[in-house]
Structures are given as C-alpha cells and as structure tokens.
Amino acid sequence: MSGAGLEFLVTQLLNGLVYAMLLFLISAGLSLIFGLMKVVNLAHGSFYMLGAFFGLTLIRVTGSFWLAAAVAPVLAAAVGAILEASILRRVYRRGPLDQVLLTFGFTLIFYDLVKWIWGGDIQQMPTPPALVGTVAILGTTFPAYRLLLIVLGFVLAALMWLLLERTRYGALIRAGVDDSVTAAGLGLNVNRLFTAIFALGVGIAALGGVVAGPVMGLSPTMGSEILIVGFIVVVCGGMGSLAGAFASSLLIGEADTFGKAYLPDAAMFVIYLVMIIVLVMRPSGLLGRRQNA
Amino acid sequence: MSEQRKKSIGSAPSRRQVLAGAAGTGAALGLGIFAPAVRAQMNAPIKIGCLISQSGVFAVNGANVLDGMSLYFEKNGWSAGGRKIELVKEDDEAKPQLGLEKVKKMIDSDKVDILTGPIGSNVALAIIGFIKQSNSILIVDGAGVNAVTREQKGPNIFRCSTSSWQSNAPAGGWLYKNVAKEVMILASDYSGGHEAMDSFKEGFLPPGGKIVKEIWPPFSNTDYSPYLAEVKSSGVKTLYAYFTGSDAVRFITQFTEFGLHKDFKLTGTGFMVEDDALPAEGDAALGVVTGLHYASTLDTPANRKFVADYRAKTGQYPSCYSDYGYVCATVIAEALKATQGDTGDKKKLQDAIRAVHFAAPRGPFRFDPETQNVIQNIYIREVVRGDGRLENKVIATIPDVRDPGKKMNS
C-alpha cells in the first residue's frame, strides 16, 4: 500500500475511533438504564443535548472549557435524577408503550425548552485553546482535540468497568440488572439504586454532549440525531451490557466511517447492514445475555 | 411576533378612519359603479400568507425572512395601496406534505390575497401544482430550485429570491477565470446540492474547467471527518462546496479543525457563509470565497439603510434571507400601490408585480418577464475580519444575472 493510502487508512481509523467514543458515551447510559429498569428511554438524547447547552453557558460565564465539562454533566444528572424520581418511576410497571410515550414527550419538551432558551440555530462551542490545531501521529496529522476524545472514551470505559466489576456499588447494580425483585427482597434499596444509575447514565451522556460540542456544534436536534445511532449501538451490543456497548460502539463507529469513505453511495446504509448481520448471528447482541421475556 | 400584532391592533382605529375616508373619496370620484361587495373587499385588510419554516433545518432562515418582511411593513405603517396589511404566518417545518396542507388552509379558509414562501425547495415543489390549479399568486422568497421558474413556471408564480443557477453558475465562470482551472466538488447529497453543482458546472465547464473529484456527504450530516480525509489525500487544491444551515457550520469548522485551510482554497455557494451562519463558524470561515446575490457589506444607500434599520430592530446583521423578506414585502407594496389596493383582478395584480423594479438592499431589482424570476447582480465575496465581526467583502460584481430559463449545454 502506498504511503498516501496508508495515511488515509490511519486517518479514517482515528475518525472511526472518535465517533465510536461519542457513541459509547451516549449508549453506556442507555444500555445500563435499559438493563436495570427495563425502560426504553427516548429522552436520553435530550440529556446529551442538555449537557452540551449547560456546558455552553458555563463556558460563556466562566471562560473555562474544563470547568464546564466537569459541572455540566452534574447539572444534567441532577435534572435526570429529579425526573426519574418524580415521574419516570411511575411507568416502570406499565408496558413499554407508556414508557416510550412518556419519554418521547420529554424529548419534545426539552427540544422546545432548549430552543426557547438558547435559540434554534446551530452554535459553536470553542475548542479549548490548548488543543486547537493538529498534531502528527502515526504518519498523519490529526486534530489534537479529537485525539483527546479518543483517550477520554477509553478512560471512561475503563472507569465504568472498574465501578461495575470491582466495587460494592457495581455488585449491587449487577444484582439489580439480573433480578431486581430478588435484589429488593434481599434488602437492596432498589428505588435509590434506580435513581443513582439513571443519574449516572444521564451524566455520562451529558458529558458526551459537552465534549462533542467543539467538534459537531450544538443545536436542539443534536440529541435526536445521535440517539438513533445510540439505539443501534445498544441493540448490537446487547441490552444492559457495558462491555457490549463499548465493543458495539467501536464496530458501528468504524463501520460508519469506513462506509462513508469507501462506499459513499451506501454511506447511510452501512451501519444498518452491520446491525442486521449482528442480530442475525447473535439475536441478543454481541455480548448480551438472552432475555427471559 | 406578539409585539407586531399589538402594534398593528393599537394603531388600527386611526388607519380604519383613514381608509373610510379614502373609500368615501373614491366613491365621490365616481367609483360608485363598484358593487357594494367589492367596496367591502376594498376596505378589508390585505392578507399576505407566509409559508415559512419556523422550525426544522431552516428555522433561522425563516426567522430572518419574517424579520425582513415585518421590518418593511413596520417602516411603512403596515399599509400599502391604501389598505391595511395583515400577515398570516404558517410553519411548514421544511416538510413538503405539511407545507401543502398549510397552503390549502391559507388559500381556502384564510383567503389570503398573496402567498409568499417557502424556504425549502422540497416544499416549493410540493405546493406548486396546487398553486397553479388554484390560480393564487405566489411570490417565492426562499426556495432556489430552478424548476419553479422554469418547467413549473406560470403567470401567477414569481420568485424574488434567487434561482439555484443564479447563485452557482456565474461563480463557476468567475472562479475559472480568477482562481482555478481544476476543482473538487463537495456538496450535500440531496436535490438542492445536486442542482447547485449542476448549475456550477454550467458556468465552470464550458470555458474549459475540470472537475477532478466529487464528494457527496449526506444531507444533515454531523461529522465530516471521513470526507475531509478524502479531500486531504486527493491532491486537488481548490474546492467548490455547497452546504446550508447547520451542515455549513459543521463543514466549515471541521474543515479548519483538520488544518485543511492551510493547503486548500475553499470556495462555494454564498449560503454557506451568510451572516446567519458566520457567527457560529467564527474564524474558521476566514478566506472562504463564495458567490451570492447579497452581502450585508454592500455599500449602497438602500443597503446601508436596510442594515441600520434591521440592526435596530433585531440587534443582528441581516443575512440574504432577511433581504428576501424585505424585498418580497417591497414587491407586494409597490404592486399594490400600482393597483391602488385592488387585489380582486388577478391579471392586473400580476401585471403590476411583474413591472415592479427598485433599488433593493441587494442592488437593482426587477423581474424577468419571461420566467418571472428575479434579474439581479451576483457578488463574489470573501470572508474577512471586518469592523468587530466577520463579514463578506465584495471582491467582484457580476451585473444583471438572468436565469437562462432552461438547462444549458443539453
């Protein structure tokens, strides 16, 4: 392969990783929330958007991207926790139709709220000054900020894995995912656990929104745009599996990028094709356990 | 919006008295031959239907059109040709089916006298059949799809904005002469993008220009990195691009983020860097060269006044969409002045609209009697850092550009 061809390949590989990490940030929470509460949360994309806009305002007020990236997810998580404890909790026992209807209603409310407060046009979040420009890596040049996104994604994935697999909280969460009724019977405060996990998932999605800001810009439709692909990732990875969400993010992120590069006419179709193939071969997703439904 | 309504309600009584007086004078002058019904119609306000996106991809553009239109009527006391002006605004959300429903509603139940809009070419194509059938007057103040004033043209259809051909073909010829003989094309993969590129080729290919590569990212795309990697590995030094709305902002910022602005010259359709997108694009847009029929920096009396009034009203610089709304309002008001407020005789009103010509913010404005599309200047602009903001500096003017009314070279 020629040098230019290899450079092209490496660049696309990195592009795929960037997209994969953003997908992971949205799908991690989506997958956990579904795994634990069996709720199809259509409002998840709204929290991604909310995080981004909270971040935008924080940057404008404080001038610091890093402060915004730290505080905005906490604010969004607080909104998520209040919503879960006050309204969403009431539909856990009802069918998926009620849940979808309710969370879809939330997306409309958040869409209008954001449009009302921040306006309907696309807004650009400034790249942190230290990371403006490109750096040389693996024989190509790549935007420094995008490299940070890749690192951030891997670090967060590792942290979440540690939380779930190596801590007491993680054990509680896994117990809740496996069988929430029995877990409650054994003295686990399921309500508090649900709220905590919902807030965690929302916070990670909101962080995704903030860090995506400098790359993709902010608009009231950003949540619904990424949510659809987020669902594809969750379904391919296996509902409720964090490792599945990570593996699936990588697969979908790279498939989408290489599809756009090598099969431009079928670009929109490639990720759906991947999803179909995965689901035919593994109906419960890459790393999903069979659901007892 | 509510503010305007309040204003027009607040000032209504005095205007009604004036109108009553005008009607009385008219009767005294021997217009008493009019049937009473006609006289009643002459007293009623003129309803202008605005089928304009207020949400969806074109939300910002739609807001600009409406601001431009209201600005004109505000400055002229919300009346024209002796009659009160009333706007009926409907949001098509850039959806063709919804647009058609709203048009039917405005024509059948609101009984609007003149219809304006839409922004989306998809909506324009969806409603045009019904418009022709219903014989209502439509003044397009947004959609650029060529067909509206070509295959689909009709005596009741006007366009005061621009055709896709006008905003791309002249720039193609100019670029060949002044910038590059070889370009790579990048455009959103939807009908608007394809038509823009076909039009560009009609200006760029005949003198000998060569298109080395074409890249078509999907419409409403978020991440352009896979396509930018292709640009980087292509070896062509000049790009001609067409992106609109949020696509434009994302494309331009990512283009610069990948450092491509250092090695490649970015040119394209002016919509990509209009004043509604420039603040979001920021310095990433510096140096981009585009063609369009408007620039807020145009140094003419009409534009200086327009920019000052628009800024006083909205706090923002006008975009080409603001000029669309303002120009459309001017066309309507001038035509009504000519018919003395009569909208009953459609033929007479259409003749009056066709004859309207004036110094618009964008430059000399008149309709092409053949196609009823606008004849106007096209400006080649470059994004520069101006007086406390980024702006499009005019570097060349192509005067009196007329849409050919059909596809060329075929």
Side-chain angles (χ1 to χ4, degrees), chain A residues 247-276:
Chain A
S248 171
S249 295
L250 289 176
L251 180 69
I252 297 292
E254 294 292 352
D256 184 64
T257 303
F258 278 90
K260 282 171 172 169
Y262 289 103
L263 301 166
D265 291 339
M268 304 296 278
F269 170 70
V270 170
I271 54 172
Y272 297 96
L273 183 71
V274 170
M275 180 176 75
I276 290 167

Side-chain angles (χ1 to χ4, degrees), chain A residues 64-88:
Chain A
S64 164
F65 176 83
W66 306 111
L67 187 75
V71 177
V74 177
L75 295 179
V79 175
I82 293 169
L83 215 59
E84 195 277 340
S86 59
I87 303 175
L88 204 57

Side-chain angles (χ1 to χ4, degrees), chain A residues 138-161:
Chain A
L138 304 172
T140 182
T141 52
F142 203 72
Y145 181 75
R146 287 186 187 235
L147 283 179
L148 173 93
L149 286 188
I150 299 176
V151 175
L152 179 80
F154 275 96
V155 170
L156 261 178
L159 284 178
M160 286 183 71
W161 182 82

Side-chain angles (χ1 to χ4, degrees), chain B residues 165-175 177-178 290-293 362 364 375-381 394-402:
Chain B
W165 190 93
Q166 285 175 306
S167 48
N168 290 283
W174 188 88
L175 284 172
K177 216 193 271 167
N178 299 286
T290 59
L292 200 67
H293 56 280
R362 66 176 85 161
I375 297 178
Q376 59 192 344
N377 293 348
I378 296 297
Y379 305 99
I380 306 294
R381 313 111 31 100
V394 175
I395 54 178
T397 301
I398 305 165
D400 293 334
V401 174
R402 179 179 169 272

Side-chain angles (χ1 to χ4, degrees), chain A residues 12-13 15-21 23-24 27 154 229 232-238 243-260 270-282 285-287:
Chain A
Q12 298 296 23
L13 211 62
N15 285 336
L17 279 180
V18 172
Y19 190 37
M21 292 309 131
L23 288 179
F24 175 67
S27 59
F154 275 96
V229 191
I232 293 175
V233 169
V234 170
V235 169
C236 281
F246 189 72
S248 171
S249 295
L250 289 176
L251 180 69
I252 297 292
E254 294 292 352
D256 184 64
T257 303
F258 278 90
K260 282 171 172 169
V270 170
I271 54 172
Y272 297 96
L273 183 71
V274 170
M275 180 176 75
I276 290 167
I277 294 171
V278 168
L279 291 184
V280 165
M281 294 175 63
R282 295 187 64 92
L286 289 173
L287 296 170

Side-chain angles (χ1 to χ4, degrees), chain B residues 22 67 70 79 97 104-105 124 173 186 195 252 276 282 289 320 364 395:
Chain B
D67 278 340
S70 319
S79 75
Q97 189 53 42
K104 286 179 176 163
K105 178 212 161 233
L186 273 124
E195 190 171 75
I252 299 247
D276 55 322
V289 171
C320 65
I395 54 178

Side-chain angles (χ1 to χ4, degrees), chain A residues 12 121 124 146 215-216 260, chain B residues 60 226-227 250 254 257 280:
Chain A
Q12 298 296 23
D121 44 341
Q124 202 60 28
R146 287 186 187 235
V215 174
M216 303 200 182
K260 282 171 172 169
Chain B
V60 181
Y227 307 103
R250 285 175 175 141
Q254 293 174 23
E257 190 199 353

Side-chain angles (χ1 to χ4, degrees), chain A residues 156-166 242-243:
Chain A
L156 261 178
L159 284 178
M160 286 183 71
W161 182 82
L162 284 175
L163 172 76
L164 280 183
E165 301 293 328
R166 292 283 182 273
L242 189 72

